Amino acid sequence: MIMGIITTGIISFTLISINIGFVSNFLVIWLKSWSMAYMIVIPVILLVGPIVQKLVNSMFKDAVTRQYDL
């Protein structure tokens, strides 16, 4: 969850600063965007994370096994 806070904060800050610039109400726009992004990304991480973990495990299972078989 901490990684979600950091990642969504950095990405939303970067994209808003590029797209609209540092306008007078930048902080309000950024905080609103950040909170919406966080509310979306946490369920996505919880749903997609295990699938990605299984994929990564299956991709590197043989490599890890070979390393310990030596």
Side-chain angles (χ1 to χ4, degrees), residues 44-45 47-60:
V44 169
I45 288 172
L47 293 172
V48 176
I51 297 168
V52 172
Q53 186 64 51
K54 286 179 185 178
L55 177 64
V56 169
N57 287 343
S58 68
M59 289 172 60
F60 294 102

Side-chain angles (χ1 to χ4, degrees), residues 38-50:
Y38 184 73
M39 297 306 277
I40 292 169
V41 82
I42 294 304
V44 169
I45 288 172
L46 293 174
L47 293 172
V48 176

Side-chain angles (χ1 to χ4, degrees), residues 2-21:
I2 293 171
M3 190 63 168
I5 291 171
I6 294 168
T7 304
T8 55
I10 292 170
I11 292 171
S12 62
F13 181 89
T14 304
L15 292 176
I16 291 171
S17 63
I18 289 170
N19 288 321
I20 66 168

Side-chain angles (χ1 to χ4, degrees), residues 5 36 43 60-61 63 65:
I5 291 171
M36 289 186 338
F60 294 102
K61 182 179 180 182
T65 306

